[in-house]
mmCIF file of all heavy atoms in Angstrom:
data_model
loop_
_atom_site.group_PDB
_atom_site.id
_atom_site.type_symbol
_atom_site.label_atom_id
_atom_site.label_comp_id
_atom_site.label_asym_id
_atom_site.label_seq_id
_atom_site.Cartn_x
_atom_site.Cartn_y
_atom_site.Cartn_z
ATOM 1 N N THR E 46 101.259 104.763 111.131
ATOM 2 C CA THR E 46 100.023 105.542 111.087
ATOM 3 C C THR E 46 99.663 106.060 112.475
ATOM 4 O O THR E 46 99.277 107.219 112.637
ATOM 5 C CB THR E 46 98.865 104.674 110.532
ATOM 6 O OG1 THR E 46 99.216 104.199 109.242
ATOM 7 C CG2 THR E 46 97.568 105.460 110.452
ATOM 8 N N HIS E 47 99.803 105.192 113.475
ATOM 9 C CA HIS E 47 99.454 105.580 114.839
ATOM 10 C C HIS E 47 100.368 106.693 115.346
ATOM 11 O O HIS E 47 99.901 107.688 115.899
ATOM 12 C CB HIS E 47 99.543 104.353 115.742
ATOM 13 C CG HIS E 47 98.907 104.535 117.071
ATOM 14 N ND1 HIS E 47 98.797 103.507 117.961
ATOM 15 C CD2 HIS E 47 98.336 105.608 117.677
ATOM 16 C CE1 HIS E 47 98.196 103.939 119.056
ATOM 17 N NE2 HIS E 47 97.913 105.213 118.908
ATOM 18 N N LYS E 48 101.667 106.530 115.141
ATOM 19 C CA LYS E 48 102.622 107.500 115.676
ATOM 20 C C LYS E 48 102.599 108.828 114.929
ATOM 21 O O LYS E 48 102.609 109.899 115.556
ATOM 22 C CB LYS E 48 104.031 106.915 115.643
ATOM 23 C CG LYS E 48 105.062 107.853 116.241
ATOM 24 C CD LYS E 48 106.393 107.195 116.450
ATOM 25 C CE LYS E 48 107.335 108.204 117.057
ATOM 26 N NZ LYS E 48 108.309 107.611 117.922
ATOM 27 N N TYR E 49 102.610 108.800 113.619
ATOM 28 C CA TYR E 49 102.803 110.020 112.839
ATOM 29 C C TYR E 49 101.518 110.635 112.276
ATOM 30 O O TYR E 49 101.529 111.807 111.912
ATOM 31 C CB TYR E 49 103.789 109.764 111.703
ATOM 32 C CG TYR E 49 105.161 109.446 112.240
ATOM 33 C CD1 TYR E 49 105.672 108.154 112.171
ATOM 34 C CD2 TYR E 49 105.926 110.425 112.850
ATOM 35 C CE1 TYR E 49 106.923 107.861 112.687
ATOM 36 C CE2 TYR E 49 107.183 110.138 113.372
ATOM 37 C CZ TYR E 49 107.673 108.854 113.280
ATOM 38 O OH TYR E 49 108.905 108.565 113.802
ATOM 39 N N ILE E 50 100.468 109.867 112.185
ATOM 40 C CA ILE E 50 99.212 110.421 111.646
ATOM 41 C C ILE E 50 98.180 110.586 112.758
ATOM 42 O O ILE E 50 97.673 111.678 112.978
ATOM 43 C CB ILE E 50 98.689 109.549 110.484
ATOM 44 C CG1 ILE E 50 99.701 109.595 109.336
ATOM 45 C CG2 ILE E 50 97.313 110.026 110.032
ATOM 46 C CD1 ILE E 50 99.405 108.686 108.176
ATOM 47 N N MET E 51 97.916 109.497 113.496
ATOM 48 C CA MET E 51 96.933 109.599 114.576
ATOM 49 C C MET E 51 97.407 110.527 115.695
ATOM 50 O O MET E 51 96.606 111.263 116.272
ATOM 51 C CB MET E 51 96.626 108.220 115.151
ATOM 52 C CG MET E 51 95.912 107.295 114.212
ATOM 53 S SD MET E 51 95.710 105.691 115.016
ATOM 54 C CE MET E 51 94.789 104.826 113.778
ATOM 55 N N HIS E 52 98.692 110.443 116.028
ATOM 56 C CA HIS E 52 99.250 111.339 117.047
ATOM 57 C C HIS E 52 99.892 112.557 116.388
ATOM 58 O O HIS E 52 100.657 113.276 117.029
ATOM 59 C CB HIS E 52 100.264 110.603 117.925
ATOM 60 C CG HIS E 52 99.615 109.758 118.965
ATOM 61 N ND1 HIS E 52 99.564 110.116 120.280
ATOM 62 C CD2 HIS E 52 98.958 108.575 118.867
ATOM 63 C CE1 HIS E 52 98.916 109.189 120.961
ATOM 64 N NE2 HIS E 52 98.536 108.239 120.116
ATOM 65 N N GLY E 53 99.565 112.787 115.152
ATOM 66 C CA GLY E 53 100.051 113.935 114.394
ATOM 67 C C GLY E 53 98.893 114.774 113.909
ATOM 68 O O GLY E 53 98.024 115.171 114.682
ATOM 69 N N PHE E 54 98.830 114.955 112.591
ATOM 70 C CA PHE E 54 97.869 115.905 112.028
ATOM 71 C C PHE E 54 96.413 115.445 112.105
ATOM 72 O O PHE E 54 95.508 116.254 111.952
ATOM 73 C CB PHE E 54 98.250 116.287 110.592
ATOM 74 C CG PHE E 54 98.148 115.174 109.588
ATOM 75 C CD1 PHE E 54 96.996 115.011 108.832
ATOM 76 C CD2 PHE E 54 99.205 114.313 109.381
ATOM 77 C CE1 PHE E 54 96.903 114.001 107.898
ATOM 78 C CE2 PHE E 54 99.123 113.303 108.440
ATOM 79 C CZ PHE E 54 97.969 113.143 107.700
ATOM 80 N N LEU E 55 96.156 114.152 112.372
ATOM 81 C CA LEU E 55 94.774 113.707 112.549
ATOM 82 C C LEU E 55 94.451 113.365 114.014
ATOM 83 O O LEU E 55 93.586 112.533 114.308
ATOM 84 C CB LEU E 55 94.474 112.509 111.637
ATOM 85 C CG LEU E 55 94.365 112.841 110.154
ATOM 86 C CD1 LEU E 55 94.069 111.595 109.334
ATOM 87 C CD2 LEU E 55 93.292 113.887 109.901
ATOM 88 N N TRP E 56 95.143 114.035 114.920
ATOM 89 C CA TRP E 56 94.902 113.846 116.349
ATOM 90 C C TRP E 56 93.433 114.106 116.709
ATOM 91 O O TRP E 56 92.876 113.446 117.584
ATOM 92 C CB TRP E 56 95.821 114.745 117.162
ATOM 93 C CG TRP E 56 95.521 114.742 118.628
ATOM 94 C CD1 TRP E 56 94.994 115.762 119.360
ATOM 95 C CD2 TRP E 56 95.722 113.667 119.546
ATOM 96 N NE1 TRP E 56 94.848 115.392 120.669
ATOM 97 C CE2 TRP E 56 95.294 114.099 120.814
ATOM 98 C CE3 TRP E 56 96.213 112.367 119.422
ATOM 99 C CZ2 TRP E 56 95.350 113.298 121.948
ATOM 100 C CZ3 TRP E 56 96.270 111.569 120.564
ATOM 101 C CH2 TRP E 56 95.837 112.032 121.791
ATOM 102 N N ASN E 57 92.783 115.039 116.019
ATOM 103 C CA ASN E 57 91.380 115.342 116.314
ATOM 104 C C ASN E 57 90.476 114.116 116.171
ATOM 105 O O ASN E 57 89.465 114.015 116.862
ATOM 106 C CB ASN E 57 90.858 116.473 115.423
ATOM 107 C CG ASN E 57 91.352 117.816 115.878
ATOM 108 O OD1 ASN E 57 91.736 117.979 117.028
ATOM 109 N ND2 ASN E 57 91.363 118.770 114.978
ATOM 110 N N LEU E 58 90.826 113.199 115.279
ATOM 111 C CA LEU E 58 90.052 111.966 115.143
ATOM 112 C C LEU E 58 90.447 110.913 116.178
ATOM 113 O O LEU E 58 89.642 110.057 116.530
ATOM 114 C CB LEU E 58 90.236 111.364 113.747
ATOM 115 C CG LEU E 58 89.576 112.078 112.579
ATOM 116 C CD1 LEU E 58 89.910 111.363 111.276
ATOM 117 C CD2 LEU E 58 88.078 112.172 112.774
ATOM 118 N N HIS E 59 91.667 110.963 116.654
ATOM 119 C CA HIS E 59 92.185 109.913 117.538
ATOM 120 C C HIS E 59 92.056 110.254 119.020
ATOM 121 O O HIS E 59 91.995 109.351 119.845
ATOM 122 C CB HIS E 59 93.658 109.645 117.184
ATOM 123 C CG HIS E 59 94.287 108.527 117.945
ATOM 124 N ND1 HIS E 59 93.841 107.220 117.878
ATOM 125 C CD2 HIS E 59 95.337 108.516 118.804
ATOM 126 C CE1 HIS E 59 94.601 106.458 118.646
ATOM 127 N NE2 HIS E 59 95.506 107.218 119.221
ATOM 128 N N LYS E 60 91.974 111.525 119.355
ATOM 129 C CA LYS E 60 92.044 111.908 120.774
ATOM 130 C C LYS E 60 90.909 111.337 121.609
ATOM 131 O O LYS E 60 91.091 111.075 122.792
ATOM 132 C CB LYS E 60 92.139 113.421 120.936
ATOM 133 C CG LYS E 60 90.907 114.197 120.582
ATOM 134 C CD LYS E 60 91.148 115.682 120.767
ATOM 135 C CE LYS E 60 89.965 116.476 120.260
ATOM 136 N NZ LYS E 60 90.229 117.909 120.362
ATOM 137 N N ASP E 61 89.743 111.099 121.023
ATOM 138 C CA ASP E 61 88.653 110.536 121.826
ATOM 139 C C ASP E 61 88.927 109.087 122.227
ATOM 140 O O ASP E 61 88.269 108.543 123.103
ATOM 141 C CB ASP E 61 87.298 110.670 121.130
ATOM 142 C CG ASP E 61 87.102 109.759 119.931
ATOM 143 O OD1 ASP E 61 88.102 109.336 119.320
ATOM 144 O OD2 ASP E 61 85.940 109.497 119.602
#
Side-chain angles (χ1 to χ4, degrees):
T46 302
H47 194 175
K48 182 169 181 149
Y49 295 108
I50 296 174
M51 293 177 177
H52 281 256
F54 67 94
L55 288 180
W56 173 250
N57 284 339
L58 288 178
H59 184 62
K60 70 181 174 183
D61 72 336

